[in-house]
Amino acid sequence: MNYHSIIAAQQDFFNSNKTKDLSFRLAQLKKIKSLLKQNEEMLYEAIYKDFKKSAHETYLTELSQVYHEIDILLKKLKHWSKRKRVTHGLANFPGKSFIIPEPLGVTLVIGAWNYPYNLSLTPLVTAIGAGNTVVLKPSEIPTHTAHAMATILNENFDPNFICVCEGGVAETTALLEEKFDKIFFTGSTTVGKIVYQAAAKNLTPVTLELGGKSPTFVLADCHLKNTAKRIVWAKFLNAGQTCIAPDYVLVEKSIEKEFLSAVKEEIEAHYDQHKIEENYLQIINDQNYKRLLGLIDARNLYMGANTNAEDRFISPTVLQNVTWDDPVMQEEIFGPILPVLTFTDLQTAIDAVKARPKPLSCYIYSDNTVQIEKILNEVSFGGGAINDSIMHLTNSKLPFGGVGMSGMGAYHGETGFQSFSHYKSILKKTSWLELPVKYTPYTDSKKKIIKWLMG
Ligand code: NAD
């Protein structure tokens, strides 16, 4: 693919102003939704080939999320796209001030592999909704899903509006040499830095949706059964390959034993210990499979670690007596391994989290308002939940994004629309009246009026 000519063609199409038209945008979103619906079977087959993800979980965690985002855009776009009138001071009398949301232009969306449809298509529909054109570069790791998206979108849209470019590091590097008006990247912190550097050459604004180690505080007063249930579900969903999965648990020492046995009970109730099934999938590739095995220290094994290399299967695994110095605590796990650390003093646990890069998410299981507020007040993280994990992502009214090493910018709902828009500020003055007060000579009376006007 000649990226330069695709981007030039998108620039021309954007300059025709067609994408700014609300009815055009709404029609394209409806078209994307109906294409996805028509091709659901093909999308399910592709993802199953990539990592044996079941149709139901693909619907639940991927397609339904994209449909939901499209539905919100269809409902709210008109309102979000409106000029907004704002007040101004006497200095600008007589006149009015308003803000015009405008699309940024030609955008590049780079996706990650772990939720390949959701993480590529949600930013894509948001960019389209805001009136941009899109070059989408899905992750090459799940090759079948990348190809399915390319087939559906490239066969049904003109590349001067939406173009899916398949490929890996070489193709992404070549794309990043081009000039875009916005880059939306989902992936690792390491590659996020490469994207940020490439964008800096053209002062291109970026949204970086990155990863990190998301802590989960379990305090002694928590509802033990529901805490274990929610953590187990969130950790082992997608076989732990979720950016906002609870990476590790910090449990109060006094309930460590009860917590571990409640976790064990939940795992045994919901997961087969020896095979892939509808609610449990493969590790994405051999490289990650081997990396994850290297993080399981047999001395800390509480349960799990049943493996099958041929199927890239690792059963839900829990590690106990883990310390901050263990290998499993040195990198984002991104797999079905749950290390459990203990604490006796909450401040010490908070300080340990704060000494590390700011996480994408943080979860607190407790009803103790004082302690909850202490954690919320002291620990900086992208977003999170109290007495739940992951589910904050399902509310489009909550901006979704990281902070520090876990990312910059956010999306979902109106925040997504804003991240693909520029807000142009306009002052419109009345032409027929001109007050002399700002002009020279600066007489005493004018000075007095200026001071009175400006405060
Ligand atoms: P990754 O950074 O390896 O790859 C992401 C994208 O970057 C892919 O499209 C890939 O082709 C491209 N890429 C890879 N290496 C590159 C290079 N050297 N130069 C240019 N482009 C390159 O990430 P991944 O393995 O696909 O995803 C896992 C990471 O993403 C985890 O850290 C996870 O936490 C994070 N993640 C974050 C979110 C979020 O919403 N914040 C969601 C999912 C995953």
Side-chain angles (χ1 to χ4, degrees):
M1 272 186 171
N2 181 340
Y3 299 140
H4 197 70
S5 60
I6 292 167
I7 290 150
Q10 290 210 352
Q11 192 66 62
D12 286 346
F13 185 63
F14 180 75
N15 287 340
S16 74
N17 294 321
K18 206 166 171 192
T19 62
K20 292 182 183 168
D21 179 26
L22 181 65
S23 54
F24 174 84
R25 288 185 272 149
L26 295 173
Q28 305 314 307
L29 291 171
K30 284 180 192 154
K31 180 173 164 182
I32 294 174
K33 186 172 174 185
S34 94
L35 282 169
L36 293 175
K37 290 248 173 216
Q38 284 163 33
N39 289 286
E40 266 186 11
E41 282 312 313
M42 170 181 150
L43 294 166
Y44 292 147
E45 269 170 39
I47 203 163
Y48 191 79
K49 282 184 192 152
D50 284 328
F51 51 148
K52 296 208 167 129
K53 184 158 174 166
S54 69
H56 177 65
E57 282 210 353
T58 303
Y59 179 78
L60 190 74
T61 62
E62 308 233 31
L63 296 183
S64 71
Q65 304 294 309
V66 180
Y67 297 153
H68 179 61
E69 208 63 31
I70 293 176
D71 290 344
I72 291 170
L73 286 162
L74 292 174
K75 201 166 146 200
K76 297 282 189 179
L77 264 191
K78 190 172 173 193
H79 176 61
W80 294 341
S81 308
K82 273 193 183 136
R83 295 175 175 202
K84 286 185 185 61
R85 181 102 183 253
V86 292
T87 54
H88 56 215
L90 279 174
N92 286 316
F93 175 82
K96 50 183 161 181
S97 292
F98 51 94
I99 301 164
I100 309 174
E102 65 173 21
L104 291 166
V106 179
T107 66
L108 172 64
V109 172
I110 303 174
W113 61 259
N114 56 325
Y115 290 91
Y117 297 137
N118 190 355
L119 300 175
S120 291
L121 298 175
T122 299
L124 178 137
V125 297
T126 311
I128 299 301
N132 302 279
T133 68
V134 179
V135 173
L136 168 65
K137 211 300 290 176
S139 170
E140 72 286 12
I141 292 177
T143 44
H144 298 94
T145 57
H147 192 60
M149 285 187 281
T151 306
I152 295 170
L153 294 172
N154 289 349
E155 280 180 4
N156 291 286
F157 288 94
D158 200 318
N160 65 10
F161 175 48
I162 296 176
C163 182
V164 182
C165 299
E166 291 176 77
V169 176
E171 288 76 8
T172 320
T173 307
L175 276 168
L176 288 171
E177 276 161 22
E178 300 292 332
K179 182 181 180 310
F180 289 91
D181 298 302
K182 164 88 188 184
I183 300 176
F184 188 104
F185 171 81
T186 305
S188 60
T189 301
T190 308
V191 181
K193 289 180 190 170
I194 296 172
V195 171
Y196 200 18
Q197 271 178 346
K201 280 186 292 195
N202 294 307
L203 293 182
T204 301
V206 292
T207 298
L208 301 177
E209 296 283 342
L210 311 177
K213 287 182 84 63
S214 298
T216 299
F217 289 89
V218 176
L219 306 189
D221 74 295
C222 74
H223 187 298
L224 205 58
K225 187 163 173 52
N226 286 344
T227 297
K229 200 175 201 52
R230 291 169 190 176
I231 291 176
V232 165
W233 177 82
K235 177 71 190 189
F236 300 108
L237 180 75
N238 225 38
Q241 302 166 112
T242 303
C243 57
I244 50 169
D247 187 274
Y248 60 95
V249 165
L250 284 162
V251 62
E252 221 165 327
K253 183 78 184 158
S254 58
I255 58 158
E256 179 194 12
K257 277 203 176 67
E258 295 92 315
F259 173 72
L260 282 167
S261 74
V263 164
K264 186 164 190 262
E265 208 174 293
E266 277 305 317
I267 291 175
E268 285 172 349
H270 295 285
Y271 298 96
D272 191 300
Q273 302 301 297
H274 298 283
K275 63 175 194 308
I276 307 287
E277 41 180 1
E278 196 189 13
N279 66 340
Y280 199 73
L281 51 148
Q282 282 183 321
I283 302 306
I284 185 70
N285 54 21
D286 287 339
Q287 192 190 333
N288 270 300
Y289 177 76
K290 284 185 194 133
R291 178 185 65 80
L292 288 164
L293 293 189
L295 297 181
I296 303 173
D297 186 335
R299 288 169 303 181
N300 298 127
L301 189 62
Y302 177 73
M303 72 170 293
N306 299 312
T307 61
N308 173 346
E310 202 184 320
D311 244 355
R312 301 194 303 270
F313 170 82
I314 302 175
S315 68
T317 298
V318 180
L319 304 178
Q320 63 178 345
N321 302 324
V322 176
T323 70
W324 292 102
D325 297 327
D326 291 336
V328 75
M329 293 306 292
Q330 309 313 312
E331 61 183 79
E332 181 182 1
I333 299 168
F334 223 54
I337 303 169
L338 182 66
V340 177
L341 291 82
T342 59
F343 67 91
T344 42
D345 171 40
L346 182 60
Q347 188 64 56
T348 314
I350 289 175
D351 290 344
V353 172
K354 282 167 73 175
R356 289 165 173 79
K358 295 180 180 179
L360 182 57
S361 294
C362 175
Y363 305 113
I364 308 164
Y365 286 85
S366 172
D367 285 316
N368 181 325
T369 314
V370 175
Q371 293 193 322
I372 292 170
E373 285 304 318
K374 182 174 173 61
I375 297 169
L376 291 182
N377 190 38
E378 288 203 33
V379 182
S380 178
F381 54 90
I386 297 155
N387 291 321
D388 213 343
S389 298
I390 291 191
M391 293 304 290
H392 61 297
L393 167 102
T394 61
N395 181 355
S396 300
K397 292 190 178 125
L398 293 175
F400 181 78
V403 57
M405 293 301 240
S406 59
M408 63 177 69
Y411 71 137
H412 290 178
E414 190 171 11
T415 312
F417 178 88
Q418 289 164 345
S419 80
F420 280 101
S421 301
H422 166 64
Y423 286 80
K424 196 154 69 184
S425 297
I426 302 294
L427 164 68
K428 185 177 182 209
K429 281 296 269 286
T430 305
S431 57
W432 49 268
L433 178 67
E434 183 55 77
L435 301 173
V437 69
K438 74 178 178 202
Y439 299 100
T440 54
Y442 298 133
T443 60
D444 283 349
S445 60
K446 284 184 188 173
K447 285 178 188 168
K448 268 190 201 150
I449 294 172
I450 289 280
K451 283 201 169 153
W452 176 74
L453 281 176
M454 308 301 277

